[in-house]
Amino acid sequence: MSFLKNWTAKAPAAPSAQDAHLLPESVPLDLAPILAALGQVLAELEPAALDVDVARAKLADLCRDLAIEPADPLELDPMATGLDRGGIERVALLVLVLERRAIPEPTLKRLFENRARTAAREGLFEVARSSGLVTLDLLRGSPLRREELARRLVLGLGASVAGESLAEARAALERLDYGRLMAEAERARRAAGKG
Amino acid sequence: MNAPERIASLAARAFPRALARYSPYLLIGEPVVDPEGETFARIDLASRTIRLGARPITEASLEDALEALIAHEIGHHVAFPGSPVEHARLLLLERTFLPRLPRSLTGPFYDLLVDERLGQGLPSIEDDLCRVLVARGARAPDDVLFTFQRAVLEELWQRREGELLGKNAAAFERAFPDHRLDAKLVAQNLFAFAPDVTLQFLYFASIAWRYAMASPAQSHAGEGDCAEGEPSAEDLAAALVPKKGEKAAIERAIREGFFPKDLVEKLADQSLERRAGAMPGDGAGKTELLTAAMAAHYRREAEKYLFRPPPARVFADALVPTTHLEWEPGDPVADIDWVATLLRRGETLGVAMPLLRERIADEEGQSTPSFLGRTEIYLDVSGSMPDPKRALNAMTLAAQILATGTIRAGGAARALVYSVGHEKAWSFCRSERVLSKFLMRYIGGGTQFPFDVLAASVDEARDEQPIRVIITDSDFDANYDAHRQNASIFAHAAERSPALVLLLHAPNREKARRYEQAGARVVAVRALGDFPRVAAELAFSLFDPGPSAGAHDGNPSPTNPSG
């Protein structure tokens, strides 16, 4: 342990007021490798071992590997607040998918550089929070659920799906939205019960 | 080259590619091209024959989609349904609780499972599968259930809405405004229940049965489906009793609320009566099928009581070589006569088709035991017992066990069923099937034992008296007392028969004693459910020759039956 101040260490940067803005169509992502990585991770992971702190640490490692300043852990804390067990599992799952380099490194760097906080919030934590019905079991059993999660990840990171316009990608996600489907089914069931 | 020849040539190239999507070791023949076939492709599940309809394929320009067509049919053979018995299970399940559907759900269900699996394969044939579906849809525009099936695949494969529905899309949307929601639910939930096929079927049925109700009736069973072949009586018999996995799937479907309450009550009841009543078919054909299937079911039940490892037998050494036979897998390899095989068939053919040399014992009569046992069965089918075609009748099962036990031991049996009248199969018979089917008969009136038939049988048999077994209940006492000569007929039969056995349910002790004093053996059966076990024990005690079988003169010496 050094008692001397490390003059070479950079002082922590002050939190940026606003992350860099990215045009989604400028970052087209191929779904196939993301789906393949998702399948592999689902087959290998141990749900009980998934942990939000480990996920944040892995995310930070990923950023350092890309020579990017990771998001401040204090800024990530509020994002993880209120996540239930399912949400934690989905966050950890998505981080593992990124760790597998399902997205090529140059593209990943574009997505995270100067916007690591936004990418983490909207690409990981919000995706995990908004897909509450999509459990790990459902993901394992349904290719459609995996595609839904993959599309959410892509759009949440601020990218677009290769070969589709942004509107088409959003329409495809809406078609796959499991929560929306379940809500429609419940409405239909209630209407049938009343009719 | 005409169309059938062209299709045959293309199919010969497409077949190995289609087979490779499953396994190159599958035992299935190359497709047969049917010049007059009306459907694109069909498979007979029993014979495993794939037929391609040359004319419809040519008219729909599907010559380049043969791999997809053939792979789809192979999928029915491999897994969905895989065998006629598995198809019979789902068919019976469907018919036990759903209203009578004009069109069975099983065909579209199998198609969905097959196509879902094929859609994941590489190289992708999804586009070809879609072309086939659109072409089939064009030929069956009124088939509501098939249209719904295509909507499910649109959702599963995320195709443009209406791509597979074609011209039907707008009309279908108007007729069934919720069909898109239903299709999404099926596409997104059905395959998550894999590999529990029963649960998947129940989930599919919970949504699709309304579309089946709106479909036109089939002119014959299986019309519109590409997996053909009606389940046989043996298949239905094997499917009559639900397996543990099926029961678990039914419980889960009920627990998760797949169906409304009125259907749940019927679904929960998977008793033999309900499943027997769900046999397919109409009118006389259904009655015949029901009888044959229930007879097969009783034979299967009788098997459970009859199986026992055979006692060790001592044979004279089989040393004398005799004729050559074709060696078949399962025969002892040591019996192959390699010298004769190589001399007659050469090295190449010989190793593929070896010859077996049969050998017999030097002294005749010592290689196999001989047994000429005969049983005469009198079965009470009065109204106190259920119709064996509708429910399990313990007395009928007991009779089946006795008949089968006799025949398996090398003997023959004949039977008579009686109530107020009687019917008889009175030639001694060695066919389990024939007797089993006869014993399914039911009269269902009062009880009137045919003492006149018994008397005539004793006179007719002379020196070759069979063992006689009467399976009845305490109503026999009143029959015995009805006329004075009945007691003497009974005593005469007991005296002349090697054994006259009464399998009597809940007998009166005094009455039972008088039968024993007349020379009969009374086996008391306390509970109806004990009849089969007791009958099996009786069959073994009467007809199991034991290790010293070869020393007897061929007539069994019955031991005291248990009871």
Side-chain angles (χ1 to χ4, degrees):
Chain A
M1 191 184 194
S2 169
F3 293 99
L4 299 173
K5 189 176 175 184
N6 187 348
W7 294 101
T8 62
K10 269 188 176 176
S16 49
Q18 204 157 359
D19 280 347
H21 179 69
L22 197 67
L23 198 63
E25 289 92 333
S26 69
V27 194
L29 293 181
D30 195 355
L31 272 183
I34 299 174
L35 288 168
L38 199 49
Q40 283 166 10
V41 170
L42 282 165
E44 293 166 10
L45 64 73
E46 189 61 53
L50 297 175
D51 180 81
V52 70
D53 291 327
V54 171
R56 292 194 302 193
K58 283 183 181 282
L59 188 61
D61 284 343
L62 181 69
C63 289
R64 286 188 208 98
D65 288 346
L66 297 172
I68 294 171
E69 190 68 30
D72 190 335
L74 292 174
E75 291 182 318
L76 294 182
D77 275 343
M79 297 180 198
T81 305
L83 270 183
D84 61 8
R85 180 64 202 168
I88 291 170
E89 287 173 352
R90 284 186 292 277
V91 167
L93 175 66
L94 292 170
V95 169
L96 287 170
V97 168
L98 295 182
E99 195 183 43
R100 299 248 169 160
R101 302 301 192 269
I103 299 172
E105 280 196 2
T107 314
L108 209 53
K109 187 166 173 140
R110 277 198 68 198
L111 289 170
F112 277 85
E113 196 160 37
N114 299 323
R115 59 188 304 275
R117 185 182 51 185
T118 304
R121 183 180 61 240
E122 293 177 8
L124 302 176
F125 288 93
E126 283 308 312
V127 166
R129 203 186 303 277
S130 63
S131 46
L133 291 177
V134 181
T135 60
L136 289 186
D137 282 340
L138 212 51
L139 284 166
R140 281 194 189 95
S142 172
L144 291 174
R145 297 283 70 71
R146 293 197 291 276
E147 185 176 338
E148 180 189 350
L149 192 66
R151 284 179 177 273
R152 285 192 189 281
L153 174 67
V154 166
L155 294 177
L157 286 173
S160 63
V161 177
E164 295 175 13
S165 69
L166 197 57
E168 284 167 351
R170 285 181 181 146
L173 179 58
E174 194 176 305
R175 192 178 177 188
L176 284 166
D177 189 336
Y178 192 59
R180 185 189 171 99
L181 175 65
M182 289 295 107
E184 271 184 51
E186 181 60 24
R187 269 197 299 277
R189 192 186 64 79
R190 274 193 254 117
K194 284 181 189 166
Chain B
M1 198 187 269
N2 59 26
E5 287 168 353
R6 193 173 68 253
I7 300 291
S9 169
L10 291 168
R13 291 203 286 275
F15 177 65
R17 295 197 306 268
L19 202 62
R21 288 179 180 271
Y22 298 95
S23 165
Y25 303 109
L26 268 180
L27 289 178
I28 188 163
E30 289 200 18
V32 171
V33 178
D34 187 354
E36 302 306 320
E38 291 295 320
T39 54
F40 297 125
R42 304 198 81 169
I43 182 167
D44 184 316
L45 291 173
S47 66
R48 301 198 297 257
T49 307
I50 299 173
R51 293 192 176 280
L52 300 174
R55 192 173 48 78
I57 288 173
T58 308
E59 285 172 2
S61 304
L62 290 175
E63 292 95 329
D64 55 344
L66 286 179
E67 183 185 336
L69 273 171
I70 296 169
H72 178 94
E73 300 311 318
I74 294 174
H76 287 307
H77 161 61
V78 167
F80 308 117
S83 72
V85 174
E86 295 309 312
H87 174 49
R89 285 193 184 280
L90 290 187
L91 203 60
L92 287 181
L93 177 61
E94 172 189 281
R95 291 169 68 94
T96 57
F97 75 104
L98 285 174
R100 194 63 182 273
L101 300 175
R103 166 102 197 263
S104 172
L105 293 165
T106 52
F109 171 67
Y110 300 142
D111 283 349
L112 279 174
L113 296 184
V114 170
D115 283 345
E116 188 265 344
R117 185 179 282 197
L118 282 176
Q120 298 173 28
L122 291 172
S124 174
I125 50 170
E126 188 181 300
D127 289 340
D128 286 343
L129 290 169
C130 290
R131 285 173 53 209
V132 171
L133 287 162
V134 170
R136 277 180 64 191
R139 291 160 63 90
D142 298 329
D143 191 337
V144 170
L145 183 59
F146 180 52
T147 309
F148 177 67
Q149 176 192 330
R150 300 200 305 279
V152 171
L153 288 168
E154 279 181 2
E155 292 303 322
L156 179 68
W157 291 333
Q158 293 290 287
R159 310 292 288 205
R160 178 184 54 81
E161 286 185 16
E163 177 186 339
L164 301 186
L165 268 61
K167 294 174 191 168
N168 287 3
F172 199 69
E173 173 71 36
R174 283 192 297 274
F176 303 97
D178 285 338
H179 83 275
R180 192 53 59 180
L181 173 62
D182 286 342
K184 283 180 181 177
L185 284 171
V186 173
Q188 300 199 27
N189 291 332
L190 177 69
F191 307 100
F193 290 125
D196 188 337
V197 175
T198 306
L199 190 62
Q200 288 182 290
F201 178 71
L202 289 171
Y203 182 77
F204 178 71
S206 71
I207 294 175
W209 74 274
R210 293 173 195 86
Y211 297 92
M213 289 294 286
S215 295
Q218 294 170 304
S219 57
H220 59 86
E223 184 192 7
D225 300 338
C226 50
E228 63 181 8
E230 287 295 299
S232 66
E234 297 286 346
D235 297 330
L236 289 163
L240 263 177
V241 178
K243 295 193 286 194
K244 195 173 160 189
E246 281 180 76
K247 292 181 191 170
I250 291 167
E251 283 168 18
R252 183 171 168 189
I254 293 172
R255 200 168 57 240
E256 297 193 12
F258 284 10
F259 298 100
K261 196 176 168 200
D262 56 330
L263 292 182
V264 162
E265 284 168 6
K266 292 176 190 172
L267 176 60
D269 178 11
Q270 293 295 315
S271 61
L272 184 66
E273 291 90 326
R274 185 170 276 285
R275 282 174 83 99
M279 293 273 173
D282 296 295
K286 178 170 178 174
T287 307
E288 176 65 28
L289 184 64
L290 177 64
T291 305
M294 288 302 286
H297 174 65
Y298 275 88
R299 286 198 296 278
R300 290 167 64 90
E301 290 296 306
E303 285 277 353
K304 292 178 193 170
Y305 293 93
L306 282 176
F307 174 76
R308 193 163 91 169
R313 296 181 181 196
V314 177
F315 297 121
D317 289 337
L319 294 174
V320 180
T322 58
T323 52
H324 281 121
L325 300 170
E326 293 294 336
W327 183 88
E328 290 180 3
D331 292 336
V333 176
D335 288 348
I336 296 175
D337 186 340
W338 284 111
V339 173
T341 300
L342 292 172
L343 282 174
R344 282 164 68 166
R345 292 191 170 164
E347 284 182 17
T348 308
L349 190 61
V351 294
M353 296 172 60
L355 293 168
L356 174 147
R357 175 78 80 171
E358 200 179 28
R359 294 174 189 274
I360 59 173
D362 198 16
E363 295 176 30
E364 284 187 13
Q366 287 192 11
S367 60
T368 54
S370 66
F371 178 68
L372 294 173
R374 298 199 298 179
T375 309
E376 190 173 280
I377 299 168
Y378 296 83
L379 173 63
D380 180 348
V381 292
S382 60
S384 55
M385 295 298 286
D387 182 349
K389 291 188 287 296
R390 305 283 172 198
L392 193 68
N393 181 323
M395 286 195 197
T396 300
L397 181 55
Q400 298 260 4
I401 290 167
L402 278 167
T404 307
T406 308
I407 294 166
R408 296 267 175 102
R414 66 183 183 185
L416 176 150
V417 297
Y418 72 91
S419 177
V420 284
H422 63 266
E423 295 175 31
K424 49 188 186 178
W426 219 228
S427 300
F428 280 101
C429 174
R430 295 182 191 275
S431 168
E432 290 178 30
R433 241 178 221 273
V434 167
L435 267 182
S436 155
K437 200 168 170 191
F438 172 76
L439 287 169
M440 298 303 296
R441 293 191 185 198
Y442 182 69
I443 302 171
T447 314
Q448 204 169 312
F449 182 82
F451 283 94
D452 54 330
V453 174
L454 177 62
S457 165
V458 172
D459 289 340
E460 172 216 342
R462 285 189 245 191
D463 294 332
E464 291 180 349
Q465 299 286 336
I467 292 170
R468 293 183 170 90
V469 182
I470 303 172
I471 304 173
T472 184
D473 55 18
S474 52
D475 288 343
F476 182 80
D477 302 332
N479 296 162
Y480 188 91
D481 295 330
H483 299 285
R484 196 175 298 171
Q485 69 264 29
N486 291 347
S488 54
I489 293 172
F490 188 85
H492 184 57
E495 185 198 352
R496 295 300 316 276
S497 308
L500 174 59
V501 183
L502 269 173
L503 284 183
L504 207 48
H505 177 230
N508 176 290
R509 266 198 203 167
E510 283 184 20
K511 303 276 169 75
R513 204 170 296 126
R514 70 176 173 178
Y515 303 137
E516 285 170 343
Q517 282 167 355
R521 302 223 163 110
V522 177
V523 178
V525 181
R526 304 289 166 210
L528 280 173
D530 289 339
F531 261 110
R533 179 185 54 78
V534 170
E537 287 168 2
L538 180 63
F540 281 124
S541 71
L542 288 175
F543 304 119
D544 185 7
S548 57
H552 290 301
D553 60 359
N555 287 325
S557 50
T559 58
N560 283 325
S562 62

